[in-house]
Amino acid sequence: MVMATKSGNSEETFLERAVEVYKECAKTASITKATVSILNQDSKSDKVELNIFSQWSQRDLERNENLNFQRSHVASYETSSKSFLNIREPSFPSEVQNIQLSCVSPSGQLQAIVRKVPGNKGKEDKQFLEIWSRSHLVKSIDILACEKHGKIYEDIQFGCLAWSASEKSLLYVAEKKLPKAVSYFERQNTDVPSDKPSPEKGNKFEFKDDWGEQLVSKCTPVLVVFDLTSEEIKVMDGVPDHLSAGQACWGPDDGSVVFIGWFHEPYRLGLIYCPIRKSALFSLSLDGQHLEQLSDVKYAVHSPRFNHDKEKLIYIALDVGGAHCKCGRLMQYDWTTKATSIITDVVDIPEKGGFPGIYNVLLTDRCWSADGNRVILSTAWRSYKKIILINCKDKSVTDLTTVPGSWTVLDIHHDIILASYASPNSPPKLMIAALPAVIPETGLSWMQVAQSEGQKFEEEITWEVMSIAPSSDADFKDEYEAVLMKPILKEDTKAPLIVFPHGGPHVAFTSEFALYSACLCKLGFSILNVNYRGSLGFGQTSLHSLPGNIGTQDVQDVMRAATKALESGKLDSSNVFIMGGSHGGFLTAHLIGQYPDFFRAAAMRNPVVNVADMTGISDILDWCYFEIGGEFQYDIVPTPETLSTMLEKSPITHVKKVKTPTLIMLGEEDLRVPPSQGRSFYKALKAQGTETRLLSYPDNNHPIAKVEAESDVFINMARWFHDHLKK
């Protein structure tokens, strides 16, 4: 490990080491999906062979792209003892680039795939719908060439790919095919086939409202059914024009489809990371003649999932509007009685150490136990992420994970659960467990299936969760937390500290593995991930204590966390740095302005610096009103008083006091916090002579997550901190 000090280390040596550390750590793969199925069953014994399929993603710094590959494992499982006898990986991983969606049929005999084929020489990408048997390719359809609809949606917000129970049809979501828009002066093509709509003159430059950040060009989704026998592609009728349909699944008996409809009038607000947009659950007959609304529009809903008998339908419901992420409810719709019930409600103030509610949940495709009465899901639980079991009959909640860290359920089939586990010093591992009828007090017995080989982070990094009490004059006095990561150093050596508040502000650090933090630790820095009041996983009351108090409460919470971490005397108090993105960048800018002598240097990604300016340029302008304590309406016109409040709560008001050297990194395609925010802060710092540097990344949006940009951000950030260490 290289210590983060200038003594005896030239800048060139540090840079070489930083590049080497990043290259090695970037080989760590993450699990993106996994499924388990029964491969063989011995009729003479209770032993079953299981096939475990998993898909992983790894950065390829040579190709500057994320590499996707699949792994297959075979496990022997004893049903009587519910134990796994051995797990083996009979083959090498295989690359699966350009697969956008995939789904195995109910019988397990067919697989549907949506594959992207990149266009050559500037031509548009193609999409193929493929049907595979276990031995060969059965069908391959050039979807866009059929000209029935636009591109198939592959995102987690709208996208789906679902087999009918009969395996004769597939259901998916695609962009609506619109008539070609041409200039008033373009010559009319008289050879247009009669079954195609005539071009619309004068609409060539008409604005098309889309769903914002990371959903650009996704404007009007339609439900599509593909008939495998006739190869007919049918765009379903019956979805009202004011709805955007997505997350669809088949209803009972293949006679209908169930989908989420988002209301997009009078205009669309950004949907990614914002599951609070007005929406409802609908059922639509295949002929498009019968549409039924199944949920109350006072809720924003997502993730509809039927149990195996298709008699119960569960989904997640949040209050419409307000905080973009918040505590949700698990709802159940009885298909027979048409009755809706709340299985798990919002938790305002959790009992000490108790269940804090459901947060940031996207249910897996298969989430029901075999008896059709229990649901398994993952949720933020203070500074951890846990897998919980919810009994839909008695409405009890059981924690299925005992090892601290970040647990994510991936699949459940015949009461066999697949999950990923990670912690700040442990990269993702694929885990398996059997679900008994009664959960023992010791929790489930988890067994490792696979991991990403390579770095041994446990030997170099330690971590702990700190509890911090807010100031005595705080209105809401519940403790909040921070996750402290430290490099393992010699006893007489103290590591510099990087304070890291999260964005959102209503998200949370959940003790997971993060590449940047792990690399910085390996370079000798400690990292303090702060879950200030307003974070997810601490109850709804804690979450709602922040709106109206941004720029003060969250700033004070971060400072108290940093001060407490330094009180141990085990960190270098003369070298404290800060970094953050989005609302974390907002806090970074505030902290270096309100505490100009505390931090040696700062780094911020796509920071909010002027809330008032954001109202006219962000895809989530409602955020600007709610977080300052106001209320958003679609027809709102900001008053001078409102704009004044927004400005007062913005870090730009403290910029004249900033002395801290500041690195700013911007994604040029960011629609959430447009780059003009960071540029204005950069210009203000330059004008007053504060040391600053601006990096701008083309073709990157809010996360700045493309491989080349992500790696450049890290090296420049590590270099910035190293260059500003106090000798």
Coordinates of all heavy atoms in Angstrom, one line a residue, residues 296-372:
D296 N -55.1 2.9 -6.5 CA -55.5 4.3 -6.3 C -54.4 5.2 -6.8 O -53.2 5.0 -6.5 CB -55.7 4.5 -4.7 CG -56.4 5.7 -4.4 OD1 -56.2 6.8 -5.0 OD2 -57.3 5.7 -3.5
V297 N -54.8 6.3 -7.5 CA -53.9 7.3 -8.0 C -53.2 8.1 -7.0 O -52.3 8.9 -7.3 CB -54.5 8.2 -9.1 CG1 -54.9 7.4 -10.3 CG2 -55.7 8.9 -8.5
K298 N -53.6 8.0 -5.7 CA -52.9 8.7 -4.6 C -51.5 8.1 -4.4 O -50.7 8.7 -3.7 CB -53.7 8.8 -3.3 CG -53.8 7.4 -2.6 CD -54.6 7.6 -1.3 CE -54.7 6.3 -0.6 NZ -55.5 6.4 0.7
Y299 N -51.3 6.9 -5.0 CA -50.0 6.2 -4.8 C -49.2 6.2 -6.2 O -49.9 6.2 -7.3 CB -50.2 4.8 -4.4 CG -50.8 4.6 -3.1 CD1 -51.8 3.7 -2.9 CD2 -50.3 5.3 -2.0 CE1 -52.4 3.5 -1.6 CE2 -50.8 5.1 -0.7 CZ -51.9 4.2 -0.5 OH -52.4 4.0 0.7
A300 N -47.9 6.3 -6.1 CA -47.1 6.0 -7.2 C -46.6 4.5 -7.1 O -46.2 4.1 -6.0 CB -45.8 6.9 -7.2
V301 N -46.8 3.7 -8.1 CA -46.6 2.3 -8.0 C -45.6 1.7 -8.9 O -45.3 2.3 -10.0 CB -48.0 1.6 -8.2 CG1 -49.0 2.0 -7.1 CG2 -48.6 1.8 -9.6
H302 N -45.1 0.6 -8.6 CA -44.1 -0.1 -9.5 C -44.0 -1.6 -9.1 O -44.5 -2.0 -8.0 CB -42.8 0.6 -9.6 CG -42.0 0.6 -8.3 ND1 -41.2 -0.5 -7.8 CD2 -41.8 1.5 -7.3 CE1 -40.7 -0.2 -6.7 NE2 -41.0 1.0 -6.3
S303 N -43.3 -2.4 -9.9 CA -43.0 -3.8 -9.6 C -44.2 -4.7 -9.4 O -44.3 -5.3 -8.3 CB -42.0 -3.9 -8.4 OG -40.9 -3.2 -8.6
P304 N -45.2 -4.8 -10.3 CA -46.3 -5.7 -10.1 C -45.7 -7.2 -10.2 O -45.1 -7.5 -11.2 CB -47.3 -5.4 -11.2 CG -46.4 -4.7 -12.2 CD -45.3 -4.0 -11.5
R305 N -46.1 -8.0 -9.3 CA -45.6 -9.4 -9.3 C -46.7 -10.4 -8.9 O -47.2 -10.3 -7.7 CB -44.4 -9.6 -8.4 CG -43.2 -8.7 -8.8 CD -42.5 -9.1 -10.0 NE -41.3 -8.3 -10.2 CZ -41.2 -7.2 -11.0 NH1 -42.3 -6.7 -11.5 NH2 -40.1 -6.6 -11.1
F306 N -47.1 -11.3 -9.7 CA -48.1 -12.3 -9.3 C -47.4 -13.5 -8.6 O -46.3 -13.8 -8.8 CB -48.7 -12.9 -10.6 CG -49.9 -12.1 -11.2 CD1 -49.7 -11.3 -12.3 CD2 -51.1 -12.2 -10.6 CE1 -50.7 -10.6 -12.8 CE2 -52.2 -11.5 -11.2 CZ -52.0 -10.7 -12.3
N307 N -48.2 -14.1 -7.7 CA -47.8 -15.4 -7.1 C -47.9 -16.5 -8.1 O -48.5 -16.2 -9.2 CB -48.4 -15.7 -5.8 CG -49.9 -16.0 -5.9 OD1 -50.5 -15.8 -7.0 ND2 -50.6 -16.4 -4.8
H308 N -47.5 -17.7 -7.8 CA -47.5 -18.8 -8.8 C -48.9 -19.1 -9.3 O -49.0 -19.4 -10.5 CB -46.8 -20.0 -8.2 CG -45.5 -19.7 -7.5 ND1 -44.4 -19.2 -8.2 CD2 -45.1 -19.8 -6.2 CE1 -43.4 -19.0 -7.4 NE2 -43.8 -19.3 -6.2
D309 N -49.9 -19.0 -8.5 CA -51.3 -19.4 -8.9 C -52.0 -18.2 -9.6 O -53.1 -18.3 -10.0 CB -52.1 -19.9 -7.7 CG -51.5 -21.1 -7.1 OD1 -50.9 -21.9 -7.9 OD2 -51.7 -21.3 -5.9
K310 N -51.3 -17.0 -9.6 CA -51.9 -15.8 -10.2 C -53.2 -15.4 -9.6 O -54.1 -15.0 -10.2 CB -52.0 -15.9 -11.7 CG -50.6 -16.0 -12.4 CD -50.7 -15.5 -13.8 CE -49.3 -15.2 -14.3 NZ -49.2 -14.7 -15.7
E311 N -53.3 -15.6 -8.3 CA -54.5 -15.2 -7.5 C -54.2 -14.0 -6.7 O -55.1 -13.3 -6.3 CB -55.0 -16.3 -6.6 CG -53.9 -16.8 -5.6 CD -54.4 -18.0 -4.7 OE1 -55.4 -18.5 -5.1 OE2 -53.6 -18.3 -3.8
K312 N -52.9 -13.7 -6.4 CA -52.5 -12.5 -5.7 C -51.5 -11.8 -6.5 O -50.6 -12.3 -7.1 CB -51.9 -12.9 -4.3 CG -52.9 -13.7 -3.4 CD -52.2 -14.2 -2.2 CE -53.1 -15.1 -1.3 NZ -52.3 -15.7 -0.2
L313 N -51.6 -10.4 -6.4 CA -50.7 -9.6 -7.1 C -50.2 -8.5 -6.1 O -51.0 -7.8 -5.5 CB -51.5 -8.8 -8.3 CG -50.7 -7.8 -9.1 CD1 -49.6 -8.5 -9.9 CD2 -51.6 -7.1 -10.0
I314 N -48.9 -8.5 -6.0 CA -48.3 -7.5 -5.1 C -47.6 -6.4 -5.9 O -47.2 -6.6 -7.1 CB -47.3 -8.1 -4.1 CG1 -46.2 -8.9 -4.9 CG2 -47.9 -9.0 -3.1 CD1 -45.0 -9.2 -4.0
Y315 N -47.4 -5.3 -5.3 CA -46.7 -4.2 -5.9 C -46.2 -3.2 -4.8 O -46.7 -3.3 -3.6 CB -47.5 -3.5 -7.0 CG -48.8 -2.9 -6.5 CD1 -49.0 -1.6 -6.1 CD2 -50.0 -3.7 -6.4 CE1 -50.2 -1.1 -5.6 CE2 -51.2 -3.2 -6.0 CZ -51.3 -1.9 -5.6 OH -52.5 -1.4 -5.2
I316 N -45.3 -2.3 -5.1 CA -44.8 -1.3 -4.2 C -45.5 0.0 -4.5 O -45.7 0.4 -5.6 CB -43.3 -1.1 -4.4 CG1 -42.5 -2.4 -4.2 CG2 -42.8 -0.1 -3.4 CD1 -42.6 -3.0 -2.8
A317 N -46.0 0.7 -3.4 CA -46.7 1.9 -3.6 C -46.1 3.0 -2.7 O -45.8 2.7 -1.5 CB -48.2 1.7 -3.2
L318 N -45.8 4.2 -3.2 CA -45.3 5.3 -2.5 C -46.3 6.5 -2.6 O -47.0 6.5 -3.6 CB -43.9 5.7 -3.0 CG -42.8 4.7 -2.9 CD1 -42.7 3.8 -4.0 CD2 -41.4 5.5 -2.8
D319 N -46.2 7.4 -1.7 CA -47.0 8.6 -1.8 C -46.5 9.4 -3.0 O -45.3 9.5 -3.3 CB -46.9 9.5 -0.6 CG -47.5 8.8 0.6 OD1 -48.5 8.0 0.5 OD2 -47.1 9.1 1.8
V320 N -47.5 9.9 -3.8 CA -47.1 10.7 -5.0 C -46.5 12.0 -4.6 O -46.9 12.7 -3.7 CB -48.4 11.0 -5.8 CG1 -48.1 11.9 -7.0 CG2 -48.9 9.7 -6.4
G321 N -45.4 12.4 -5.3 CA -44.8 13.7 -5.1 C -43.9 13.7 -3.8 O -43.8 12.8 -3.1
G322 N -43.3 14.9 -3.6 CA -42.5 15.1 -2.4 C -41.1 14.5 -2.6 O -40.5 14.6 -3.7
A323 N -40.5 13.9 -1.6 CA -39.2 13.4 -1.6 C -39.1 12.3 -2.7 O -40.0 11.5 -2.8 CB -38.8 12.7 -0.3
H324 N -38.1 12.4 -3.5 CA -38.0 11.5 -4.7 C -37.8 10.0 -4.4 O -38.2 9.2 -5.2 CB -36.9 12.0 -5.7 CG -37.3 13.2 -6.4 ND1 -36.4 14.0 -7.1 CD2 -38.5 13.8 -6.6 CE1 -37.0 15.0 -7.7 NE2 -38.3 14.9 -7.4
C325 N -37.3 9.7 -3.2 CA -37.3 8.4 -2.7 C -37.7 8.5 -1.3 O -37.4 9.4 -0.5 CB -35.9 7.8 -2.8 SG -35.3 7.4 -4.5
K326 N -38.5 7.5 -0.8 CA -39.1 7.5 0.5 C -39.5 6.1 0.9 O -39.3 5.2 0.1 CB -40.2 8.5 0.6 CG -41.4 8.1 -0.3 CD -42.5 9.1 -0.3 CE -42.2 10.3 -1.2 NZ -43.4 11.2 -1.4
C327 N -40.1 6.0 2.1 CA -40.6 4.7 2.6 C -41.8 4.3 1.8 O -42.7 5.2 1.5 CB -40.9 4.8 4.1 SG -41.2 3.2 4.8
G328 N -41.9 3.1 1.3 CA -43.0 2.6 0.5 C -43.8 1.6 1.3 O -43.6 1.3 2.4
R329 N -44.8 1.1 0.6 CA -45.7 0.1 1.1 C -45.7 -1.1 0.2 O -45.6 -1.0 -1.0 CB -47.2 0.6 1.2 CG -47.4 1.9 2.0 CD -48.7 2.5 1.7 NE -48.9 3.7 2.5 CZ -48.4 4.9 2.1 NH1 -47.8 5.0 1.0 NH2 -48.7 6.0 2.9
L330 N -45.9 -2.3 0.8 CA -46.1 -3.5 0.0 C -47.6 -3.7 0.0 O -48.3 -3.9 1.0 CB -45.4 -4.7 0.6 CG -45.6 -6.0 -0.2 CD1 -44.9 -5.9 -1.5 CD2 -45.1 -7.2 0.6
M331 N -48.2 -3.6 -1.2 CA -49.6 -3.7 -1.4 C -50.0 -5.1 -2.0 O -49.2 -5.7 -2.8 CB -50.1 -2.6 -2.4 CG -49.7 -1.2 -2.0 SD -50.4 -0.6 -0.5 CE -52.1 -0.3 -1.1
Q332 N -51.2 -5.6 -1.8 CA -51.6 -6.8 -2.4 C -53.0 -6.7 -3.0 O -53.9 -6.1 -2.3 CB -51.7 -8.0 -1.3 CG -52.2 -9.3 -1.9 CD -52.1 -10.4 -0.9 OE1 -51.0 -10.9 -0.6 NE2 -53.2 -10.8 -0.3
Y333 N -53.2 -7.1 -4.2 CA -54.5 -7.1 -4.9 C -54.9 -8.5 -5.1 O -54.2 -9.3 -5.7 CB -54.3 -6.4 -6.3 CG -55.6 -6.3 -7.1 CD1 -56.6 -5.4 -6.8 CD2 -55.8 -7.3 -8.1 CE1 -57.7 -5.3 -7.6 CE2 -57.0 -7.2 -8.8 CZ -57.9 -6.3 -8.6 OH -59.1 -6.2 -9.3
D334 N -56.1 -8.8 -4.6 CA -56.7 -10.2 -4.7 C -57.4 -10.2 -6.0 O -58.4 -9.5 -6.2 CB -57.6 -10.5 -3.5 CG -58.0 -11.9 -3.5 OD1 -58.7 -12.4 -4.5 OD2 -57.8 -12.6 -2.5
W335 N -57.0 -11.1 -6.9 CA -57.6 -11.1 -8.3 C -59.0 -11.6 -8.3 O -59.8 -11.2 -9.1 CB -56.7 -12.0 -9.2 CG -56.9 -11.7 -10.7 CD1 -57.7 -12.4 -11.5 CD2 -56.4 -10.6 -11.4 NE1 -57.7 -11.8 -12.8 CE2 -56.8 -10.8 -12.7 CE3 -55.5 -9.6 -11.1 CZ2 -56.5 -9.9 -13.7 CZ3 -55.1 -8.7 -12.1 CH2 -55.6 -8.8 -13.4
T336 N -59.3 -12.4 -7.3 CA -60.7 -13.0 -7.2 C -61.7 -12.0 -6.6 O -62.7 -11.8 -7.2 CB -60.7 -14.3 -6.4 OG1 -59.7 -15.2 -7.0 CG2 -62.0 -15.0 -6.4
T337 N -61.3 -11.5 -5.5 CA -62.3 -10.6 -4.8 C -62.1 -9.1 -5.2 O -63.0 -8.3 -4.9 CB -62.0 -10.7 -3.3 OG1 -60.7 -10.1 -3.0 CG2 -62.1 -12.1 -2.8
K338 N -61.0 -8.8 -5.9 CA -60.7 -7.4 -6.4 C -60.5 -6.5 -5.2 O -60.7 -5.3 -5.3 CB -61.8 -6.9 -7.3 CG -62.0 -7.7 -8.6 CD -62.9 -7.0 -9.5 CE -63.1 -7.8 -10.8 NZ -61.9 -8.0 -11.6
A339 N -60.1 -7.1 -4.1 CA -59.8 -6.3 -2.9 C -58.3 -5.9 -2.8 O -57.5 -6.8 -3.1 CB -60.3 -7.0 -1.6
T340 N -58.0 -4.7 -2.3 CA -56.6 -4.3 -2.2 C -56.4 -4.1 -0.7 O -57.2 -3.6 0.1 CB -56.4 -2.9 -2.9 OG1 -56.6 -3.1 -4.3 CG2 -55.0 -2.4 -2.7
S341 N -55.2 -4.6 -0.2 CA -54.8 -4.5 1.2 C -53.4 -4.0 1.3 O -52.6 -4.3 0.4 CB -55.0 -5.8 1.9 OG -54.3 -6.8 1.3
I342 N -53.1 -3.4 2.4 CA -51.7 -3.0 2.7 C -51.1 -4.1 3.5 O -51.5 -4.4 4.6 CB -51.6 -1.6 3.4 CG1 -52.2 -0.5 2.6 CG2 -50.2 -1.3 3.8 CD1 -52.3 0.8 3.3
I343 N -50.0 -4.7 3.0 CA -49.3 -5.8 3.7 C -48.3 -5.2 4.7 O -48.2 -5.5 5.9 CB -48.7 -6.8 2.8 CG1 -49.7 -7.4 1.8 CG2 -48.0 -7.9 3.5 CD1 -50.8 -8.1 2.5
T344 N -47.5 -4.3 4.2 CA -46.5 -3.6 5.0 C -46.6 -2.1 4.8 O -46.5 -1.6 3.6 CB -45.1 -4.0 4.6 OG1 -45.0 -5.5 4.7 CG2 -44.0 -3.4 5.5
D345 N -46.9 -1.3 5.8 CA -47.1 0.1 5.7 C -45.8 0.9 5.9 O -44.8 0.4 6.3 CB -48.2 0.5 6.7 CG -49.0 1.7 6.2 OD1 -48.5 2.4 5.3 OD2 -50.1 1.9 6.8
V346 N -46.0 2.2 5.8 CA -44.9 3.1 6.0 C -44.5 3.1 7.5 O -45.4 3.0 8.4 CB -45.3 4.6 5.6 CG1 -44.3 5.6 6.2 CG2 -45.4 4.7 4.1
V347 N -43.2 3.1 7.8 CA -42.7 3.2 9.2 C -42.2 4.6 9.4 O -41.3 5.0 8.8 CB -41.6 2.1 9.4 CG1 -41.1 2.3 10.8 CG2 -42.1 0.7 9.2
D348 N -42.8 5.3 10.3 CA -42.4 6.6 10.6 C -41.2 6.7 11.5 O -40.2 7.3 11.2 CB -43.6 7.4 11.3 CG -44.7 7.7 10.3 OD1 -44.4 8.1 9.1 OD2 -45.9 7.5 10.6
I349 N -41.3 6.1 12.7 CA -40.2 6.0 13.6 C -40.0 4.6 14.0 O -40.8 4.0 14.8 CB -40.4 6.9 14.9 CG1 -40.6 8.4 14.5 CG2 -39.2 6.8 15.8 CD1 -40.9 9.3 15.6
P350 N -38.9 3.9 13.6 CA -38.7 2.5 13.9 C -38.3 2.3 15.4 O -37.8 3.2 16.0 CB -37.6 2.1 13.0 CG -37.1 3.3 12.3 CD -37.9 4.4 12.7
E351 N -38.7 1.1 15.9 CA -38.2 0.8 17.2 C -36.6 0.6 17.1 O -36.1 0.4 16.0 CB -38.8 -0.6 17.6 CG -40.3 -0.5 17.9 CD -40.8 -1.8 18.3 OE1 -40.0 -2.8 18.5 OE2 -42.0 -2.0 18.4
K352 N -36.0 0.8 18.2 CA -34.5 0.8 18.2 C -34.0 -0.6 17.7 O -34.3 -1.6 18.2 CB -33.9 1.0 19.6 CG -32.4 1.2 19.7 CD -32.0 1.7 21.0 CE -30.5 1.9 21.1 NZ -30.0 2.9 20.2
G353 N -33.3 -0.5 16.6 CA -32.7 -1.7 16.0 C -33.8 -2.5 15.1 O -33.5 -3.5 14.5
G354 N -35.0 -1.9 15.1 CA -36.1 -2.6 14.4 C -36.3 -2.3 13.0 O -35.6 -1.4 12.4
F355 N -37.2 -3.0 12.3 CA -37.5 -2.8 10.9 C -37.9 -1.4 10.6 O -38.8 -0.8 11.2 CB -38.6 -3.8 10.5 CG -39.2 -3.6 9.1 CD1 -38.4 -3.7 8.0 CD2 -40.5 -3.2 8.9 CE1 -38.9 -3.5 6.7 CE2 -41.0 -3.1 7.7 CZ -40.2 -3.2 6.6
P356 N -37.1 -0.7 9.7 CA -37.4 0.7 9.4 C -38.3 1.0 8.3 O -38.6 2.2 8.0 CB -36.0 1.3 9.1 CG -35.3 0.2 8.4 CD -35.9 -1.1 9.1
G357 N -38.8 0.0 7.6 CA -39.7 0.2 6.4 C -39.0 -0.3 5.2 O -37.9 -0.8 5.1
I358 N -39.8 -0.1 4.1 CA -39.3 -0.6 2.7 C -38.8 0.6 2.0 O -39.5 1.6 1.8 CB -40.5 -1.2 2.0 CG1 -40.9 -2.5 2.7 CG2 -40.1 -1.5 0.5 CD1 -42.1 -3.2 2.0
Y359 N -37.6 0.5 1.5 CA -36.9 1.6 0.8 C -36.2 1.2 -0.5 O -35.6 0.2 -0.5 CB -35.9 2.3 1.7 CG -36.4 2.9 3.0 CD1 -36.5 2.1 4.1 CD2 -36.9 4.2 3.0 CE1 -37.0 2.6 5.3 CE2 -37.4 4.7 4.2 CZ -37.5 3.9 5.3 OH -38.0 4.3 6.5
N360 N -36.4 2.0 -1.5 CA -35.6 1.8 -2.8 C -35.7 0.4 -3.3 O -34.7 -0.2 -3.7 CB -34.1 2.2 -2.5 CG -33.6 3.1 -3.6 OD1 -34.3 3.7 -4.4 ND2 -32.3 3.2 -3.6
V361 N -36.9 -0.1 -3.3 CA -37.1 -1.5 -3.7 C -37.5 -1.7 -5.1 O -38.5 -1.0 -5.5 CB -38.1 -2.2 -2.7 CG1 -38.4 -3.6 -3.2 CG2 -37.6 -2.2 -1.3
L362 N -36.9 -2.5 -5.9 CA -37.4 -3.0 -7.2 C -37.5 -4.5 -7.0 O -36.5 -5.2 -6.9 CB -36.5 -2.6 -8.3 CG -37.0 -3.0 -9.7 CD1 -38.2 -2.1 -10.1 CD2 -35.9 -2.7 -10.8
L363 N -38.7 -5.0 -7.0 CA -38.9 -6.5 -6.7 C -38.3 -7.3 -7.9 O -38.3 -6.9 -9.0 CB -40.4 -6.8 -6.6 CG -41.1 -6.1 -5.4 CD1 -42.6 -6.5 -5.5 CD2 -40.5 -6.5 -4.1
T364 N -37.7 -8.4 -7.5 CA -37.2 -9.3 -8.5 C -38.4 -10.0 -9.3 O -39.5 -10.0 -8.8 CB -36.3 -10.4 -7.9 OG1 -37.1 -11.1 -6.9 CG2 -35.1 -9.9 -7.2
D365 N -38.1 -10.5 -10.5 CA -39.2 -11.1 -11.3 C -39.8 -12.2 -10.5 O -41.1 -12.4 -10.6 CB -38.6 -11.7 -12.6 CG -38.2 -10.5 -13.5 OD1 -38.7 -9.4 -13.3 OD2 -37.4 -10.8 -14.4
R366 N -39.0 -13.0 -9.8 CA -39.6 -14.1 -8.9 C -39.2 -13.8 -7.5 O -38.1 -13.8 -7.1 CB -39.0 -15.5 -9.3 CG -39.3 -15.8 -10.8 CD -39.0 -17.3 -11.1 NE -37.6 -17.6 -11.1 CZ -37.1 -18.7 -11.6 NH1 -37.9 -19.6 -12.1 NH2 -35.8 -19.0 -11.5
C367 N -40.3 -13.4 -6.7 CA -40.0 -13.0 -5.4 C -41.0 -13.7 -4.4 O -40.9 -13.4 -3.2 CB -40.2 -11.5 -5.3 SG -41.9 -10.9 -5.8
W368 N -41.8 -14.6 -4.8 CA -42.7 -15.3 -3.9 C -42.2 -16.7 -3.5 O -41.5 -17.3 -4.2 CB -44.1 -15.6 -4.7 CG -45.0 -14.4 -4.9 CD1 -45.0 -13.6 -5.9 CD2 -46.0 -14.0 -4.0 NE1 -45.9 -12.6 -5.8 CE2 -46.6 -12.9 -4.6 CE3 -46.5 -14.5 -2.8 CZ2 -47.7 -12.2 -4.0 CZ3 -47.6 -13.8 -2.2 CH2 -48.2 -12.7 -2.8
S369 N -42.5 -17.1 -2.3 CA -42.1 -18.4 -1.8 C -43.1 -19.4 -2.5 O -44.1 -19.0 -3.1 CB -42.3 -18.5 -0.3 OG -43.6 -18.2 0.1
A370 N -42.7 -20.7 -2.4 CA -43.5 -21.7 -3.1 C -44.9 -21.8 -2.5 O -45.8 -22.2 -3.3 CB -42.8 -23.1 -2.9
D371 N -45.2 -21.5 -1.3 CA -46.5 -21.6 -0.7 C -47.4 -20.4 -1.2 O -48.6 -20.4 -0.9 CB -46.5 -21.7 0.8 CG -45.9 -20.5 1.5 OD1 -45.7 -19.5 0.8 OD2 -45.5 -20.6 2.7
G372 N -46.8 -19.4 -1.9 CA -47.6 -18.3 -2.3 C -48.1 -17.4 -1.3 O -49.0 -16.5 -1.5

